[in-house]
Amino acid sequence: MKPNLKVKIRDLEFKNPVITASGTFGYGLEYSQFVDLNRLGGIVVKGLSLYPKEGNPPPRIYETPCGMINSIGLQNIGYEVFIKEKLPVLKKFDTNVIVNFFGENLSEYIEIALKLDSTDGIHALEMNVSCPNKNSEWRQMGIDPKLLAQAVKEVRKRISKPLIIKLSPQVTDISLMAKICEEEGADAVSLINTIPAMVIDIKTRRSLIGTLTGGLSGPAIRPVALRAVWEVAKAVNIPVIGMGGITSAEDALQFIIAGATLVAVGTANFINPITTIEVIEGIEKFLVEETIEDIKELIGKLNE
Amino acid sequence: MNKYSKAKIKSNVSLKEDIYLITLETSSTQQAKPGQFYILRPDVRLDPFLGRPLSVFEREDNVLKFLYRIKGKGTKLLSNLNEGDLIQITGPLGKGYPLPKDEFIVIAGGIGLASVYYLIKSFPKKAHLFYGVRNKEELLFYDLLKEFSKELCVATECGSLGYQGVVTEVFSQKGLQLNLPIYACGPMIMIKEIGRIIEGKEIPCYVAVEERMACGVGACLGCVIPTNQGFKRVCTEGPVFDIKELIL
């Protein structure tokens, strides 16, 4: 018996529930030297803006217990270069390409979303409303329910491709934010983004991150992420993409049982570039062992 | 796709106090160029989380060697591994040194030798090596370096061997006039001084730099350094840079 691993976001089918987390897999191609990209459920590329962004001053990363803090500042090559140089190569792979995007303000969000929506070879859009490193009025959209509702509504009504909203953990009630996304027409929510964090050198009394604070990721945040996914999955009917410190199939399965339809591998790509493949194989093996014919039978099946 | 694999530790020995040489047996057929690096990560652990990028010290047949100094908990953990243990290796990564066409100058400061040794060995009797250490106890591979290089000038800060002073002083007295391409690896203060000495001169100078690193493949953008063409990734656009590009 070969279990069915296929899942869907609206009408978009994924061959398996394992995708990559934005910002941890570059534009996908950086990892094609290790991973057969055709095997992935999807690739979520590095957050893209209309124009290239230089990002934050170094030092940008610091290792912390079971994880790391980063403050990259959304450095990216911009829409035009992505379309010209990266997408034509990505298109050759048989996997879903999801473009994570952001803007400095709502009109920029709308503008890039429109462009991505009309570009062939992009299967879905992931809207970043939750980057902790950005400075703009719309930085608040991930934590302000009114701004979030307005932003999702304005983007949604203009685009036809599946729209995923990537949520911040930096709120009191993340399921409320997810419900707002669902009400305003989002097709899925992904969570969690990194958690704001800090580390200090006691001798110099300076932060070890150039921008003083950054976002914490890796297994250190996994239990926090898992609980958030569980809360959100109970609250909404749209698919939830679970992420936060997944390093193995066992980790990923916890998220699926908590209610995630898809799971994203993020920081683990840095410590083992073939984590995605190991997760896919491990999930399949588990389903066989547990005689579960379809992954959907496991989604959200936490015994309470 | 064997750029990611498990290697078996053949030996992992302290050469001088906190300086270690680790020798791995690998089934990977990937060849490495001088100046390239691997990320080494003890097999199963989440703390410390990331692997450690180390320059290729030597690559021969199925053997890979890395020279490293214990700097923090990652290298400390590495130093505790034993013969027979498995270690995860990813590489070779990064751009190596542009290969010299004829004679060249090498300036190595302390553990910076780890990055240039393979270059010197790959081009026997072509390197004019200026090698600076704090004292003669820190000097490594003296006999081998003497054998592989055309000329070896040692500088010790205390004067316990060779020239007394920093290596850049010896270089500016004896190396600069050779007008040969320079390959350098060492502490930032040494790189800055080299930059000052050759400023305005038409001498090519390639330096290997270090930065905290996560993915090693250009994806996470964590290891960037400022250059006169904007931020560049040490892992993929480096670790070797033309000194003129660097903002020192």
Side-chain angles (χ1 to χ4, degrees), chain B residues 11-54:
Chain B
S11 70
N12 187 19
V13 293
S14 165
L15 300 181
K16 301 270 160 81
E17 292 171 23
D18 58 350
I19 295 173
Y20 281 70
L21 182 70
I22 189 168
T23 305
L24 309 178
E25 200 179 288
T26 169
S27 56
S28 168
T29 53
Q30 298 279 347
Q31 287 309 308
K33 275 176 60 185
Q36 287 192 300
F37 67 96
Y38 279 73
I39 293 182
L40 277 70
R41 192 170 171 274
D43 209 17
V44 179
R45 63 170 170 82
L46 292 173
D47 188 26
F49 186 64
L50 300 167
R52 293 296 182 264
L54 297 177

Side-chain angles (χ1 to χ4, degrees), chain A residues 33 60 63 66 219 271-272, chain B residues 3 46 50 52 88 221:
Chain A
Q33 57 186 321
R60 288 179 168 183
E63 182 181 63
C66 301
I271 61 165
N272 170 359
Chain B
K3 264 195 157 183
L46 292 173
L50 300 167
R52 293 296 182 264
Q88 177 189 307
L221 312 177

Side-chain angles (χ1 to χ4, degrees), chain A residues 125-225:
Chain A
L125 274 56
E126 183 182 62
M127 183 163 150
N128 179 7
V129 298
S130 53
C131 182
N133 300 325
K134 281 194 58 255
N135 286 310
S136 98
E137 47 174 330
W138 286 94
R139 181 190 162 159
Q140 301 296 319
M141 86 166 63
I143 54 175
D144 180 330
K146 281 197 191 108
L147 285 179
L148 181 67
Q150 192 192 344
V152 176
K153 185 180 188 170
E154 294 300 323
V155 171
R156 167 77 286 170
K157 71 181 182 194
R158 289 176 172 86
I159 67 159
S160 57
K161 283 177 182 164
L163 177 65
I164 303 158
I165 312 297
K166 184 158 181 182
L167 297 175
S168 167
Q170 215 187 337
V171 292
T172 313
D173 183 0
I174 196 167
S175 58
L176 172 73
M177 306 303 273
K179 272 195 276 193
I180 288 168
C181 295
E182 183 179 36
E183 280 161 19
E184 298 301 340
D187 299 300
V189 286
S190 53
L191 60 146
I192 60 175
N193 205 325
T194 58
I195 300 173
M198 193 172 190
V199 60
I200 291 170
D201 180 326
I202 57 169
K203 288 270 175 63
T204 62
R205 298 186 211 166
R206 287 177 188 280
S207 168
L208 289 157
I209 294 288
T211 51
L212 305 185
T213 66
L216 180 65
S217 67
I221 71 167
R222 191 198 310 135
V224 177

Side-chain angles (χ1 to χ4, degrees), chain B residues 34-82:
Chain B
Q36 287 192 300
F37 67 96
Y38 279 73
I39 293 182
L40 277 70
R41 192 170 171 274
D43 209 17
V44 179
R45 63 170 170 82
L46 292 173
D47 188 26
F49 186 64
L50 300 167
R52 293 296 182 264
L54 297 177
S55 295
V56 175
F57 184 71
E58 265 193 281
R59 176 80 166 103
E60 236 169 66
D61 302 323
N62 64 341
V63 169
L64 255 174
K65 291 182 186 178
F66 302 91
L67 181 73
Y68 64 97
R69 165 177 269 159
I70 298 177
K71 268 193 176 172
K73 60 180 180 178
T75 40
K76 176 76 194 153
L77 183 84
L78 195 61
S79 74
N80 290 334
L81 297 179
N82 298 310

